[in-house]
Amino acid sequence: MAGMATRRDFLKTAAMAAAAATTSDAAPPAAVAPDPLFDRPMRWAQLTLVENDPGSYDLQFWLDYFQRTHSDAATLSAGGCVAYYPTKVPLHYRSQWMKDTDPFGDLVRGCRKLGMTILARTDPHAARQDVYDAHPDWIAVDAQGNKRRHGSMPELWLTCALGPYNFEFMTEVTREIVTRYQVDGVFSNRWAGSGMCYCEHCTRNFKAATGLDLPRSNDPQNPSRKAYIEWHQQRLFELWDVWDKAIREANPKARFVANSGGGALSELNMRTMGEKASILFADRQARSGLTPSWANGKNGKEYRAGMGNKPIGGIFSVGVEEAYRWKDSVQSEPEIRLWALDGIANGLRPWFTKFSGVLHDKRWLPVVERVYTWHWRNERYLRNTEPLARVAMVYSQQTAHYYGGASARQRVEDHTTGYYQALIEARIPFEMVHDEMMEPERLAPFRVLVLPNIAALSERQCGQIRDFVRRGGGLVATYETSLYNERGARRANFGLSDLFGASYANGVDTRMMNSYLRLETGADGKRHPLLRGLESAERIINGVSRLHTTPDAAYKNPPLTLIPSYPDLPMEEVFPRVEKTDIPEVYVREAGGGRVAYFPWDIDRVFWEVLSVDHGKLLRNAVDWAANEPRPVSVSGPGVLDVTVWRQKDSMTVHLVNLTNPMMMKGPLREFIPLPAQEVAVRVPAGSKVRAVKLLVAGGSPRVRETGGEVRLTVPSIVDHEVVAIDLG
Ligand SMILES: [Zn+2]
């Protein structure tokens, strides 16, 4: 078997493919080297002071803790809502406890002695009565025209993010902080406002920019809402530029760091953010409600889609992050560890955050110290240069904004989370790709694209996907993928109809009850590989919502056909009225050089809701079949593992994060459930020689068998995680 090609080989192939491609009109993205100032730190510490900390918190305790945890960067409270330094900016409220001291300055000096990179933290979202009295127009206004009080602390006011409070007042604050302390950047929390603002500035500026009144409707097809979605982002990116300029005038190396970003449901365009930012932080501090334990890693993938190889931190809190906001609480050790470790496995640099310099519960201190010390000892295997995953799941902010609207969580994100869960269960390493970043160079590392109901796609994006398949790439798509244009207007047919081998037949069953899929045998008497693991099944459950589709004339022998709904009550009437149809419920075909599987129903969303084992197998098999190559890493053994695979300068790593737990889908974890032995097979990059194999958690070197470009080994047990590190020559 041929060894895995390196990313450089892929890039070369891609460059040739790009030269041959006809539909790609974008200039190839320039390779951006990370800014060394922000690429150096591997472990971040955040101390957010509370107003009464000055005079009572122990500065030396924190500096010692930063040192003990080998934290090489810090984010420290400076100003905005409360100033922790002797500010001269009028109306910039100083901590009433700091008197004539300079708590921020003391922290900066201490951290600088430790050689740490330093970000000043600002938070502009709330202001006091004196600000209101002096500048009532700086305060956010609701749809009824009332100035908005702060929800948690009603004596404060919410500020307008898009008017002079941020553009003028906070620019002065930002300039003062950087001028005075020469910090490496300013990290602004809650800088993007607190929802819609109908103040005089927003009303006037929106009218001037678009000719429209601010929207009163959430419907993304409402012209005013549609315009607002764009204008709001433009305005925030303008603010980003204003602050970044003020920062650089005061310290040319320093940068603005926005606390923004995320996946499909996030507001600001991740492509633009990735272009502007030197570093970003995924701010998902812990689980709340029903959140699976892989959610921090998902954020890592989403940010990386925009950031490429620029550094990304993963902010984790040590406390309970439920709606009731127990900000001084402490989570269980396994919960803190697993959240941080899954982020690390997915390329995030850990950042712990603590509010209040005075600690009311110290149990988290050794927990974070143990994670950070392990991270520091193994740093050279954690300084990744590229992921080696061959599967990429596309996410689409435009689909969430213009097709999902107020229901984006169900209509968009639930499809993604369903497919995400299926890939975790299948132990397939994968990345995520932003739908506006599908140039051939960016897709070159990947063998399969997964489009979980990526409904809104432009003609150009459809062309990029078509080119990808023409170059030999595999495609798995579900439900309404490409049935809408990039602004959410319905097409007559799928934009990718030619690839699917199916046309939209202008109808949808939105809530099917008691419908099934018949598993068919091909003309050769065999079943399609898509049905692997379902050998003894004649039929399995269908989804809930299906599109009516018409196959191309050439499509014969679909592996899955529809058994239509029949009564589910009274029980005497529960028998199929139609035993068999020829209506395809999956389209599989070879197109150009690649393989395409298209499900015209909501398989991924239903998987998230129902978690049917059979649907999980279909989702897994579709990816394996479309890839048409061995996986870069296979791991066999019982349990649920998040598997990621990375390249570093002189090595590669495979992270195995043990998610097996009764609290996997809802925290907090009570304990780890250790996994028994796992057999691991890793494809070695072509032309590389394996010099040594180590287990970075259990320690030592396992016995290794090398055959046909693969390294095989047994990982004896996994408590929370294991990292297989392979030194390459
Ligand atoms: Zn406003």
Side-chain angles (χ1 to χ4, degrees):
M1 189 184 72
M4 188 162 53
T6 64
R7 185 142 306 199
R8 194 160 290 118
D9 295 335
F10 288 132
L11 291 175
K12 221 182 284 169
T13 321
M16 289 187 286
T22 49
T23 53
S24 174
D25 51 5
V32 182
D35 180 341
L37 176 66
F38 295 106
D39 196 30
R40 184 190 66 90
M42 290 293 281
R43 288 161 299 281
W44 287 77
Q46 177 182 350
L47 175 57
T48 303
L49 296 177
V50 295
E51 196 191 339
N52 73 352
D53 272 334
S56 42
Y57 91 107
D58 182 349
L59 170 68
Q60 197 52 47
F61 165 84
W62 284 101
L63 294 174
D64 288 346
Y65 190 68
F66 295 164
Q67 198 166 20
R68 276 212 309 285
T69 51
H70 305 278
S71 297
D72 41 19
T75 302
L76 306 166
S77 296
C81 185
V82 176
Y84 293 96
Y85 68 96
T87 176
K88 296 198 165 57
V89 176
L91 295 171
H92 191 201
Y93 174 85
R94 293 187 196 191
S95 157
Q96 298 298 287
W97 279 262
M98 72 182 230
K99 307 202 171 71
D100 55 354
T101 66
D102 181 4
F104 174 66
D106 294 341
L107 272 163
V108 169
R109 280 181 288 277
C111 289
R112 197 162 275 149
K113 267 191 207 140
L114 297 175
M116 297 171 86
T117 301
I118 299 166
L119 294 182
R121 178 185 183 275
T122 62
D123 189 327
H125 88 280
R128 282 157 214 274
Q129 190 62 42
D130 57 342
V131 173
Y132 179 107
D133 294 338
H135 299 278
D137 60 305
W138 288 4
I139 307 302
V141 172
D142 69 16
Q144 287 72 45
N146 306 309
K147 301 222 186 289
R148 294 178 62 195
R149 288 191 182 274
H150 196 278
S152 302
M153 201 173 152
E155 57 269 45
L156 299 184
W157 297 95
L158 291 173
T159 55
C160 167
L162 308 178
Y165 177 79
N166 264 353
F167 274 85
E168 293 163 23
F169 171 75
M170 279 308 297
T171 305
E172 280 319 299
V173 168
T174 302
R175 193 191 312 277
E176 182 182 63
I177 292 167
V178 182
T179 304
R180 207 174 151 141
Y181 298 96
Q182 290 297 302
V183 287
D184 301 302
V186 172
F187 173 80
S188 199
N189 190 54
R190 293 186 182 263
W191 68 289
S194 312
M196 277 294 293
C197 176
Y198 294 88
C199 78
E200 58 184 273
H201 301 287
C202 289
T203 305
R204 196 168 56 238
N205 291 335
F206 183 67
K207 184 95 178 184
T210 66
L212 298 165
D213 292 327
L214 286 166
R216 307 260 159 184
S217 156
N218 278 332
D219 176 4
Q221 294 309 307
N222 170 296
S224 173
R225 171 59 61 183
K226 204 182 260 192
Y228 182 82
I229 293 170
E230 287 192 10
W231 176 79
H232 177 236
Q233 293 190 59
Q234 278 165 16
R235 195 81 184 129
L236 287 171
F237 283 131
E238 270 173 50
L239 178 62
W240 179 317
D241 290 341
V242 167
W243 285 351
D244 198 50
K245 183 163 173 284
I247 291 166
R248 291 212 233 192
E249 280 165 4
N251 176 3
K253 285 185 182 163
R255 300 301 309 272
F256 172 60
V257 182
N259 188 9
S260 287
L265 303 187
S266 65
E267 272 184 338
L268 288 182
N269 185 288
M270 286 299 283
R271 178 179 179 129
T272 311
M273 284 189 64
E275 286 163 359
K276 282 182 179 293
S278 291
I279 187 166
L280 284 177
F281 298 94
D283 187 8
R284 301 294 177 278
Q285 300 185 9
R287 296 202 269 175
S288 65
L290 290 167
T291 307
S293 45
W294 43 252
N296 197 27
K298 174 169 178 276
N299 252 275
K301 293 187 205 298
E302 287 161 344
Y303 273 77
R304 189 161 48 256
M307 291 290 278
N309 62 352
K310 291 179 183 177
I312 308 159
I315 303 181
F316 66 99
S317 83
V318 298
V320 177
E321 286 296 321
E322 297 288 352
Y324 311 101
R325 298 182 62 77
W326 291 287
K327 300 309 289 182
D328 281 331
S329 57
V330 172
Q331 287 270 22
S332 74
E333 168 162 6
E335 184 65 30
I336 297 173
R337 277 187 71 84
L338 193 68
W339 193 251
L341 292 173
D342 195 56
I344 292 166
N346 282 281
L348 292 175
R349 299 184 184 184
W351 156 324
F352 76 81
T353 180
K354 190 70 197 87
F355 308 90
S356 174
V358 174
L359 292 176
H360 307 289
D361 186 341
K362 297 183 176 169
R363 287 175 292 171
W364 64 274
L365 291 165
V367 179
V368 170
E369 189 176 336
R370 279 194 287 272
V371 172
Y372 272 43
T373 304
W374 173 84
H375 195 274
W376 171 71
R377 283 211 189 98
N378 295 291
E379 183 173 313
R380 85 178 179 91
Y381 293 110
L382 298 166
R383 194 172 269 288
N384 300 315
T385 51
E386 60 187 348
L388 296 175
R390 297 283 279 153
V391 173
M393 182 164 16
V394 174
Y395 76 95
S396 171
Q397 291 177 285
Q398 70 195 24
T399 296
H401 290 162
Y402 299 109
Y403 160 88
S407 320
R409 188 162 294 280
Q410 296 77 38
R411 297 188 73 202
V412 180
E413 189 65 4
D414 281 358
H415 292 262
T416 297
T417 44
Y419 222 127
Y420 202 106
Q421 172 71 21
L423 293 177
I424 292 277
E425 288 187 28
R427 301 176 164 193
I428 297 175
F430 67 104
E431 285 292 298
M432 292 182 82
V433 159
H434 192 276
D435 66 341
E436 289 181 36
M437 304 175 79
M438 296 196 294
E439 296 89 346
E441 297 76 18
R442 295 189 199 270
L443 296 187
F446 302 115
R447 180 73 178 173
V448 179
L449 282 185
V450 176
L451 277 70
N453 195 30
I454 304 300
L457 288 170
S458 68
E459 289 296 334
R460 176 166 170 267
Q461 290 168 317
C462 289
Q464 290 173 326
I465 293 164
R466 204 169 283 123
D467 288 346
F468 175 78
V469 174
R470 203 173 287 152
R471 294 193 299 272
L475 177 71
V476 180
T478 68
Y479 199 48
E480 294 195 288
T481 292
S482 80
L483 193 54
Y484 295 76
N485 77 7
E486 68 276 20
R487 287 294 172 267
R490 249 278 305 283
R491 292 193 169 99
N493 196 0
F494 303 110
L496 297 172
S497 168
D498 56 331
L499 286 189
F500 295 168
S503 293
Y504 182 55
N506 213 21
V508 52
D509 300 333
T510 51
R511 192 179 158 82
M512 291 187 294
M513 302 285 285
N514 199 35
S515 168
Y516 296 84
L517 300 167
R518 203 182 132 93
L519 281 63
E520 303 284 358
T521 303
D524 55 359
K526 290 185 190 149
R527 279 185 169 183
H528 194 277
L530 189 76
L531 309 184
R532 180 167 63 90
L534 296 166
E535 285 75 13
S536 56
E538 288 164 29
R539 65 176 210 175
I540 59 175
I541 63 169
N542 201 345
V544 172
S545 186
R546 63 175 283 272
L547 303 183
H548 298 187
T549 52
T550 314
D552 288 357
Y555 191 49
K556 298 281 187 297
N557 304 112
L560 295 171
T561 55
L562 174 71
I563 300 175
S565 295
Y566 49 89
D568 58 277
L569 265 180
M571 295 315 292
E572 292 79 354
E573 292 298 324
V574 183
F575 60 90
R577 302 307 196 267
V578 181
E579 290 280 358
K580 179 172 165 50
T581 68
D582 59 358
I583 299 169
E585 287 294 86
V586 69
Y587 292 84
V588 285
R589 62 194 291 267
E590 314 244 341
R595 291 176 166 184
V596 178
Y598 166 63
F599 295 92
W601 50 288
D602 56 351
I603 179 169
D604 34 20
R605 194 203 62 75
V606 173
F607 186 63
W608 189 236
E609 183 181 348
V610 178
L611 290 168
S612 158
V613 176
D614 296 341
H615 290 171
K617 287 175 181 170
L618 292 176
L619 292 167
R620 172 199 68 192
N621 294 345
V623 168
D624 279 338
W625 174 77
N628 196 17
E629 68 170 22
R631 295 182 188 176
V633 182
S634 359
V635 186
S636 51
V640 188
L641 284 170
D642 191 353
V643 179
T644 63
V645 53
W646 293 93
R647 182 76 208 235
Q648 302 82 35
K649 191 164 161 281
D650 303 310
S651 57
M652 68 181 292
T653 50
V654 175
H655 289 245
L656 306 168
V657 183
N658 179 11
L659 307 180
T660 315
N661 206 286
M663 311 313 289
M664 178 187 167
M665 305 304 267
K666 191 208 175 308
L669 263 58
R670 271 66 174 158
E671 60 180 339
F672 288 113
I673 313 294
L675 282 188
Q678 306 287 319
E679 299 301 319
V680 180
V682 186
R683 289 164 67 196
V684 176
S688 296
K689 207 167 136 25
V690 174
R691 290 196 292 113
V693 180
K694 290 177 231 169
L695 299 179
L696 299 186
V697 179
S701 299
R703 235 187 52 185
V704 166
R705 304 164 296 278
E706 254 194 279
T707 48
E710 268 190 350
V711 169
R712 290 174 171 272
L713 63 140
T714 305
V715 173
S717 177
I718 304 173
V719 177
D720 45 7
H721 73 142
E722 186 52 89
V723 180
V724 180
I726 304 175
D727 289 318
L728 300 171

